[in-house]
Amino acid sequence: MQLLILAGVLALAASQKTTTIDPSVLVNIFGTPPTTVTRKPLEEIIVKPTESTATFVDKNGSACQCVPYYLCDANNVGVDVNNASVTGWGVLDIRFGDDDNSIDRHCQESVEVCCAIPKDPSEVPPQPKPQPQPDPTKVKGCGYRNPQGLGVTITGGTGTESQFGEFPWVIALLDNRNFSYAGVGVLIHPQVVMTGAHIAQKFGPGELKIRAGEWDTQTVKEIYPFEERNVESTVIHENFQPKSLKNDIALLRLDRPLEISEHINVICLPDYQEVFDSSKNCVANGWGKSHFGQSNRYAVILKKVEVDMVPYTRCNMLLKRTRLGNNFKLHDSFVCAGGEAGKDTCQGDGGAPLACPIGNNRYKLTGLVAWGIGCGQQDVPAVYTNVPKFRDWVDEKMANWGFEATSYRISK
């Protein structure tokens, strides 16, 4: 999946009275692009892979070819070329840009290394499949993060890139009509994805598909493959208000279940009205609203940003200090996080998950990216859908589909 530049402005009306807010205030809304943005098909925006037959020479004079890292033995990696590990085998350098002139940047994909003696792909077994977990509640359970990634560890990026397979619950949404990027969702059941209503409402029957296990949007060479499913039906909250984004939640039923595994797994859901006001180091994910890497050369990898939750009363007070004004009142279908200078979910996408830790690398879904004012400003939190408010609604809709809530329930 390739991502498009996200930009959009939504009007917000959320006050004790019906107050109209100047749309220009919300300059960094998280959502899908407006209709004036032209979306290009994947084949027009994908980064061109490195030619498999191309041979490069590093600064030490060693010849090498760019191949997926699992097709190269440790002793055959050219350590002075792009993405080659200089810190140990099993670590890929994904440094972007040309700030380090000591690195020859030949390999254009994040999972490639420049290999002196690559293995013959025809003699290499197919890419390994992760260990299946048929029922997440009977094996490992929901909400487990893989902090070190799976198969390989990355280094050298901006510090906001996730490891491969680190957040198994994050789902990419694709427009089936032109196979362009549509937003982000979160897996709560092998056959159900949650996302923002403002994302789901844009698509009719058969127009949306999901991709699970996605990581780097400009390569298909990860060690574990992604899985795609069509969205069979959609349920949008009955009280969703498009102008104010109140009750911004929707469920997507897939045409068939995903195979739960190490890099594809469900998140745990909170209890009804559970409060996360004091939660720290919550994680929001997304593939970003900016361009694809440097000069359309380097890949876009799933981002992560850690933020602390902001209590409702404090968030409402802080937002009143912005151009929203004193008449603004935050609706109870929202929660807030962030407000630390330089840290925000500006590079996240509409419907993306905000998950808070509950111990032992395990997380509960707390919010869905909804809207924000500015980006990374001190004392200006970002606003998310209040997922705990909708737990009973989710259970009801799941039961209507004949699904049990065991997939996202923490075993006692």
Side-chain angles (χ1 to χ4, degrees), residues 176-191:
N176 242 341
R177 295 167 294 186
N178 56 14
F179 207 55
S180 62
Y181 172 73
V184 187
V186 55
L187 193 65
I188 66 169
H189 179 277
Q191 204 170 343

PDB file of all heavy atoms in Angstrom, residues 176-191:
ATOM      1  N   ASN A 176     -10.892   0.366  -2.824  1.00  0.00           N
ATOM      2  CA  ASN A 176     -10.939  -0.691  -3.831  1.00  0.00           C
ATOM      3  C   ASN A 176     -11.154  -0.157  -5.244  1.00  0.00           C
ATOM      4  O   ASN A 176     -10.849  -0.833  -6.228  1.00  0.00           O
ATOM      5  CB  ASN A 176     -12.067  -1.678  -3.500  1.00  0.00           C
ATOM      6  CG  ASN A 176     -11.552  -3.078  -3.225  1.00  0.00           C
ATOM      7  OD1 ASN A 176     -10.434  -3.415  -3.605  1.00  0.00           O
ATOM      8  ND2 ASN A 176     -12.358  -3.887  -2.563  1.00  0.00           N
ATOM      9  N   ARG A 177     -11.661   1.078  -5.343  1.00  0.00           N
ATOM     10  CA  ARG A 177     -11.967   1.622  -6.659  1.00  0.00           C
ATOM     11  C   ARG A 177     -10.711   1.986  -7.438  1.00  0.00           C
ATOM     12  O   ARG A 177     -10.654   1.826  -8.647  1.00  0.00           O
ATOM     13  CB  ARG A 177     -12.875   2.853  -6.512  1.00  0.00           C
ATOM     14  CG  ARG A 177     -14.248   2.520  -5.933  1.00  0.00           C
ATOM     15  CD  ARG A 177     -14.995   3.754  -5.501  1.00  0.00           C
ATOM     16  NE  ARG A 177     -14.349   4.432  -4.377  1.00  0.00           N
ATOM     17  CZ  ARG A 177     -14.869   5.472  -3.732  1.00  0.00           C
ATOM     18  NH1 ARG A 177     -16.052   5.945  -4.110  1.00  0.00           N
ATOM     19  NH2 ARG A 177     -14.239   6.030  -2.716  1.00  0.00           N
ATOM     20  N   ASN A 178      -9.693   2.486  -6.731  1.00  0.00           N
ATOM     21  CA  ASN A 178      -8.444   2.834  -7.420  1.00  0.00           C
ATOM     22  C   ASN A 178      -7.213   2.369  -6.654  1.00  0.00           C
ATOM     23  O   ASN A 178      -6.096   2.743  -6.973  1.00  0.00           O
ATOM     24  CB  ASN A 178      -8.361   4.342  -7.662  1.00  0.00           C
ATOM     25  CG  ASN A 178      -8.503   5.141  -6.372  1.00  0.00           C
ATOM     26  OD1 ASN A 178      -8.400   4.584  -5.274  1.00  0.00           O
ATOM     27  ND2 ASN A 178      -8.742   6.426  -6.507  1.00  0.00           N
ATOM     28  N   PHE A 179      -7.450   1.545  -5.616  1.00  0.00           N
ATOM     29  CA  PHE A 179      -6.372   0.948  -4.818  1.00  0.00           C
ATOM     30  C   PHE A 179      -5.476   2.007  -4.193  1.00  0.00           C
ATOM     31  O   PHE A 179      -4.272   1.852  -4.075  1.00  0.00           O
ATOM     32  CB  PHE A 179      -5.545  -0.026  -5.649  1.00  0.00           C
ATOM     33  CG  PHE A 179      -4.910  -1.106  -4.818  1.00  0.00           C
ATOM     34  CD1 PHE A 179      -5.686  -1.897  -3.995  1.00  0.00           C
ATOM     35  CD2 PHE A 179      -3.545  -1.325  -4.839  1.00  0.00           C
ATOM     36  CE1 PHE A 179      -5.113  -2.891  -3.203  1.00  0.00           C
ATOM     37  CE2 PHE A 179      -2.958  -2.312  -4.058  1.00  0.00           C
ATOM     38  CZ  PHE A 179      -3.745  -3.099  -3.241  1.00  0.00           C
ATOM     39  N   SER A 180      -6.068   3.116  -3.791  1.00  0.00           N
ATOM     40  CA  SER A 180      -5.311   4.169  -3.120  1.00  0.00           C
ATOM     41  C   SER A 180      -5.522   4.077  -1.619  1.00  0.00           C
ATOM     42  O   SER A 180      -6.401   3.355  -1.130  1.00  0.00           O
ATOM     43  CB  SER A 180      -5.745   5.541  -3.630  1.00  0.00           C
ATOM     44  OG  SER A 180      -7.112   5.768  -3.343  1.00  0.00           O
ATOM     45  N   TYR A 181      -4.730   4.814  -0.895  1.00  0.00           N
ATOM     46  CA  TYR A 181      -4.808   4.829   0.557  1.00  0.00           C
ATOM     47  C   TYR A 181      -6.111   5.459   1.036  1.00  0.00           C
ATOM     48  O   TYR A 181      -6.573   6.448   0.477  1.00  0.00           O
ATOM     49  CB  TYR A 181      -3.616   5.600   1.105  1.00  0.00           C
ATOM     50  CG  TYR A 181      -3.687   5.854   2.576  1.00  0.00           C
ATOM     51  CD1 TYR A 181      -3.485   4.822   3.487  1.00  0.00           C
ATOM     52  CD2 TYR A 181      -3.952   7.117   3.061  1.00  0.00           C
ATOM     53  CE1 TYR A 181      -3.560   5.051   4.840  1.00  0.00           C
ATOM     54  CE2 TYR A 181      -4.024   7.362   4.413  1.00  0.00           C
ATOM     55  CZ  TYR A 181      -3.825   6.325   5.301  1.00  0.00           C
ATOM     56  OH  TYR A 181      -3.902   6.561   6.641  1.00  0.00           O
ATOM     57  N   ALA A 182      -6.721   4.899   2.099  1.00  0.00           N
ATOM     58  CA  ALA A 182      -7.994   5.416   2.589  1.00  0.00           C
ATOM     59  C   ALA A 182      -7.966   5.797   4.057  1.00  0.00           C
ATOM     60  O   ALA A 182      -8.768   6.615   4.490  1.00  0.00           O
ATOM     61  CB  ALA A 182      -9.101   4.385   2.357  1.00  0.00           C
ATOM     62  N   GLY A 183      -7.086   5.239   4.848  1.00  0.00           N
ATOM     63  CA  GLY A 183      -7.042   5.544   6.269  1.00  0.00           C
ATOM     64  C   GLY A 183      -6.460   4.386   7.057  1.00  0.00           C
ATOM     65  O   GLY A 183      -5.812   3.496   6.494  1.00  0.00           O
ATOM     66  N   VAL A 184      -6.704   4.391   8.357  1.00  0.00           N
ATOM     67  CA  VAL A 184      -6.145   3.381   9.250  1.00  0.00           C
ATOM     68  C   VAL A 184      -7.255   2.819  10.123  1.00  0.00           C
ATOM     69  O   VAL A 184      -8.217   3.514  10.465  1.00  0.00           O
ATOM     70  CB  VAL A 184      -5.039   3.974  10.143  1.00  0.00           C
ATOM     71  CG1 VAL A 184      -4.336   2.878  10.941  1.00  0.00           C
ATOM     72  CG2 VAL A 184      -4.016   4.725   9.299  1.00  0.00           C
ATOM     73  N   GLY A 185      -7.138   1.552  10.464  1.00  0.00           N
ATOM     74  CA  GLY A 185      -8.072   0.914  11.365  1.00  0.00           C
ATOM     75  C   GLY A 185      -7.326   0.086  12.385  1.00  0.00           C
ATOM     76  O   GLY A 185      -6.095   0.063  12.421  1.00  0.00           O
ATOM     77  N   VAL A 186      -8.087  -0.628  13.223  1.00  0.00           N
ATOM     78  CA  VAL A 186      -7.484  -1.458  14.263  1.00  0.00           C
ATOM     79  C   VAL A 186      -8.277  -2.752  14.353  1.00  0.00           C
ATOM     80  O   VAL A 186      -9.502  -2.762  14.337  1.00  0.00           O
ATOM     81  CB  VAL A 186      -7.445  -0.709  15.616  1.00  0.00           C
ATOM     82  CG1 VAL A 186      -8.816  -0.209  16.027  1.00  0.00           C
ATOM     83  CG2 VAL A 186      -6.820  -1.571  16.700  1.00  0.00           C
ATOM     84  N   LEU A 187      -7.563  -3.857  14.435  1.00  0.00           N
ATOM     85  CA  LEU A 187      -8.180  -5.180  14.439  1.00  0.00           C
ATOM     86  C   LEU A 187      -8.685  -5.519  15.842  1.00  0.00           C
ATOM     87  O   LEU A 187      -7.916  -5.507  16.811  1.00  0.00           O
ATOM     88  CB  LEU A 187      -7.168  -6.228  13.985  1.00  0.00           C
ATOM     89  CG  LEU A 187      -7.720  -7.606  13.634  1.00  0.00           C
ATOM     90  CD1 LEU A 187      -8.624  -7.520  12.408  1.00  0.00           C
ATOM     91  CD2 LEU A 187      -6.574  -8.589  13.385  1.00  0.00           C
ATOM     92  N   ILE A 188      -9.997  -5.825  15.965  1.00  0.00           N
ATOM     93  CA  ILE A 188     -10.563  -6.199  17.257  1.00  0.00           C
ATOM     94  C   ILE A 188     -11.096  -7.630  17.250  1.00  0.00           C
ATOM     95  O   ILE A 188     -11.475  -8.147  18.298  1.00  0.00           O
ATOM     96  CB  ILE A 188     -11.680  -5.221  17.693  1.00  0.00           C
ATOM     97  CG1 ILE A 188     -12.898  -5.319  16.755  1.00  0.00           C
ATOM     98  CG2 ILE A 188     -11.153  -3.789  17.762  1.00  0.00           C
ATOM     99  CD1 ILE A 188     -14.130  -4.577  17.264  1.00  0.00           C
ATOM    100  N   HIS A 189     -11.130  -8.240  16.100  1.00  0.00           N
ATOM    101  CA  HIS A 189     -11.619  -9.616  15.919  1.00  0.00           C
ATOM    102  C   HIS A 189     -11.034 -10.086  14.591  1.00  0.00           C
ATOM    103  O   HIS A 189     -10.775  -9.260  13.704  1.00  0.00           O
ATOM    104  CB  HIS A 189     -13.152  -9.605  15.879  1.00  0.00           C
ATOM    105  CG  HIS A 189     -13.786 -10.959  15.678  1.00  0.00           C
ATOM    106  ND1 HIS A 189     -13.936 -11.535  14.417  1.00  0.00           N
ATOM    107  CD2 HIS A 189     -14.318 -11.837  16.568  1.00  0.00           C
ATOM    108  CE1 HIS A 189     -14.522 -12.712  14.551  1.00  0.00           C
ATOM    109  NE2 HIS A 189     -14.766 -12.926  15.833  1.00  0.00           N
ATOM    110  N   PRO A 190     -10.765 -11.372  14.417  1.00  0.00           N
ATOM    111  CA  PRO A 190     -10.201 -11.826  13.144  1.00  0.00           C
ATOM    112  C   PRO A 190     -11.001 -11.403  11.914  1.00  0.00           C
ATOM    113  O   PRO A 190     -10.466 -11.382  10.807  1.00  0.00           O
ATOM    114  CB  PRO A 190     -10.191 -13.352  13.297  1.00  0.00           C
ATOM    115  CG  PRO A 190     -10.055 -13.582  14.762  1.00  0.00           C
ATOM    116  CD  PRO A 190     -10.856 -12.485  15.406  1.00  0.00           C
ATOM    117  N   GLN A 191     -12.277 -11.016  12.129  1.00  0.00           N
ATOM    118  CA  GLN A 191     -13.106 -10.634  10.990  1.00  0.00           C
ATOM    119  C   GLN A 191     -13.712  -9.233  11.141  1.00  0.00           C
ATOM    120  O   GLN A 191     -14.599  -8.860  10.370  1.00  0.00           O
ATOM    121  CB  GLN A 191     -14.226 -11.675  10.785  1.00  0.00           C
ATOM    122  CG  GLN A 191     -14.775 -11.728   9.358  1.00  0.00           C
ATOM    123  CD  GLN A 191     -15.691 -12.924   9.128  1.00  0.00           C
ATOM    124  OE1 GLN A 191     -15.701 -13.882   9.896  1.00  0.00           O
ATOM    125  NE2 GLN A 191     -16.471 -12.877   8.051  1.00  0.00           N
TER     126      GLN A 191
END
